[in-house]
Amino acid sequence: MSQKDLMKDWFKELPSEQPSPDFTVKVMQRVMTEWTLNPIKYQPIIGKKGWWIMGLVALLVTSLLFMLHSSSPSETVTQSKTIYGLDLMQLFAPVSHLFEKLNSISPAVAIGALAILALWFFDQLFVKTVKH
Amino acid sequence: MEKKTDEYYIREILKGDSGSFSQLVEKYSHLAFSLSMKILNQREDAEEVAQDAFIKAYNSLSSFQSSSTFKTWFFRIVYNTSISRLRTRKNIEVKIDDLKISDVEIQATENAIGQLNTEDRQKYLHIGLERLEPDERALLKMYYYDDFSMDEVSVITGQTVSNVKVKIHRSRKKLLQELRLVLKDEIISIL
């Protein structure tokens, strides 16, 4: 046996030094305190910037569709506009149909829906202000 | 209960299960305390430092790179925390290394220790270690007791491998010199 191994053996004979029995409990208490002080912060999947971009894109698409719809005379509805082989009129037909339906909504219903949306918006705003 | 790897518990903690940290504390508490004890030589301080090291490890767990093992990474934290505590102590006695022991005397001392019974060997080894500098005790403990390789000791202490080699060699020699002084009577009688 080499000399190094002898020293190793002698060290292994030394009794292991143990901390107090409640060592783990003490550490975990401190860990939990740390955790309460710095909890894992909620990070939304889509950030504020993302929502803004999505909103702008949605607005752009809606405006485009609206312009497309209003520029097409009713008698030429059957005429097809194609871009790269895609029949736009056919593609946007369901959306166009929706706009037509929206046009037929009575002003009272529209104002009611807008009021509900505004109430919901102010409620969310109020909840956020109270939390911070 | 089935034992999981350190990496498994680390993943669970990072996912938000702080309770998994208790598994790592259970596994490494005595090794951390024992290393800290070798450096500080004071039970209360060693326990406090070992606790601090665990908290530091918990807080910086997200920065742990699996290029090294958790054990090595954590021992580096324990070592640095213990050394920092040591530096805050006032009136640290600075001993000047003076190795006067010859190779023949080293051999004779080793033979004498080898012939002691386990109980006496433990007692004298403990006294010998007490006489060493804190970092010398820590190096010997990591290398001979915890079975860390020279490379791992180098990572833990932040010193170069060659520096670690020299220091372990010197610390070993110094321990034998101290043991020779303690065992003087016995060695003389054996020789």
Side-chain angles (χ1 to χ4, degrees):
Chain A
M1 197 183 276
S2 70
Q3 285 176 350
K4 191 191 112 182
D5 287 334
L6 266 180
M7 188 63 94
K8 241 181 195 355
D9 289 347
W10 297 339
F11 265 79
K12 295 280 180 197
E13 285 173 2
L14 288 171
S16 69
E17 284 151 331
Q18 296 288 343
S20 58
D22 59 346
F23 182 85
T24 306
V25 176
K26 279 181 188 167
V27 173
M28 287 315 288
Q29 275 173 351
R30 285 180 65 182
V31 165
M32 287 305 158
T33 313
E34 290 283 321
W35 186 81
T36 341
L37 290 171
N38 306 300
I40 295 160
K41 283 177 189 160
Y42 166 71
Q43 285 195 327
I45 299 165
I46 303 165
K48 268 187 183 173
K49 208 176 168 183
W51 281 115
W52 274 108
I53 292 167
M54 278 170 71
L56 281 173
V57 169
L59 196 76
L60 218 79
V61 169
T62 315
S63 322
L64 193 82
L65 287 171
F66 192 74
M67 280 192 293
L68 207 81
H69 175 71
S70 54
S71 67
S72 337
S74 54
E75 60 267 22
T76 56
V77 165
T78 46
Q79 270 186 338
S80 59
K81 288 184 177 182
T82 54
I83 296 172
Y84 296 114
L86 271 172
D87 191 345
L88 284 179
M89 291 316 289
Q90 201 181 349
L91 193 72
F92 296 129
V95 188
S96 169
H97 188 65
L98 180 78
F99 275 109
E100 272 170 23
K101 278 200 170 177
L102 279 174
N103 277 338
S104 61
I105 291 173
S106 76
V109 174
I111 289 168
L114 269 172
I116 291 167
L117 273 171
L119 275 172
W120 175 81
F121 172 76
F122 284 118
D123 176 65
Q124 292 291 311
L125 198 75
F126 177 73
V127 169
K128 272 198 170 181
T129 322
V130 168
K131 274 186 182 172
H132 289 96
Chain B
M1 204 179 91
E2 193 197 340
K3 284 272 173 194
K4 306 269 183 6
T5 61
D6 292 350
E7 286 71 29
Y8 170 83
Y9 292 123
I10 292 164
R11 273 199 305 273
E12 290 298 303
I13 298 157
L14 292 175
K15 271 191 236 166
D17 176 18
S18 303
S20 288
F21 194 67
S22 66
Q23 301 290 334
L24 297 176
V25 179
E26 281 284 347
K27 190 173 174 184
Y28 293 113
S29 60
H30 85 274
L31 288 174
F33 172 73
S34 158
L35 175 62
S36 186
M37 186 72 185
K38 283 279 170 289
I39 297 170
L40 298 165
N41 221 10
Q42 209 177 69
R43 206 181 155 80
E44 289 76 22
D45 264 11
E47 192 155 324
E48 207 180 298
V49 163
Q51 279 183 29
D52 288 348
F54 272 113
I55 301 300
K56 278 182 189 172
Y58 173 78
N59 284 331
S60 44
L61 211 55
S62 53
S63 68
F64 166 66
Q65 311 266 310
S66 43
S67 54
S68 67
T69 62
F70 173 77
K71 191 181 172 186
T72 312
W73 179 78
F74 174 60
F75 264 63
R76 186 171 184 157
I77 297 175
V78 178
Y79 179 81
N80 287 335
T81 314
S82 306
I83 294 291
S84 298
R85 175 65 65 96
L86 192 70
R87 281 180 188 145
T88 59
R89 279 187 189 165
K90 287 173 185 173
N91 305 322
I92 302 168
E93 197 183 332
V94 181
K95 290 177 187 169
I96 299 159
D97 276 358
D98 191 13
L99 294 170
K100 288 175 183 170
I101 193 165
S102 68
D103 289 347
V104 179
E105 287 169 328
I106 284 174
Q107 192 59 56
T109 311
E110 279 177 343
N111 289 341
I113 296 163
Q115 287 178 41
L116 292 172
N117 63 44
T118 311
E119 202 179 319
D120 284 344
R121 197 161 38 235
Q122 283 178 1
K123 188 180 87 182
Y124 290 120
L125 203 58
H126 185 74
I127 297 168
L129 282 167
E130 294 266 298
R131 293 182 174 202
L132 298 185
E133 290 295 306
D135 61 327
E136 292 168 339
R137 275 200 300 269
L139 285 173
L140 291 179
K141 195 232 172 236
M142 281 188 273
Y143 186 65
Y144 290 117
Y145 187 81
D146 298 324
D147 283 327
F148 279 117
S149 67
M150 294 273 187
D151 288 350
E152 285 171 324
V153 177
S154 153
V155 172
I156 292 166
T157 58
Q159 298 171 25
T160 60
V161 180
S162 55
N163 201 7
V164 166
K165 271 182 193 170
V166 171
K167 280 192 172 176
I168 289 177
H169 178 76
R170 280 182 66 83
S171 305
R172 184 182 186 279
K173 206 169 170 182
K174 197 170 165 190
L175 174 67
L176 288 166
Q177 182 176 279
E178 294 298 337
L179 283 170
R180 185 175 166 82
L181 292 170
V182 178
L183 290 166
K184 210 171 180 181
D185 293 337
E186 274 107 320
I187 286 173
I188 288 164
S189 65
I190 291 163
L191 291 171

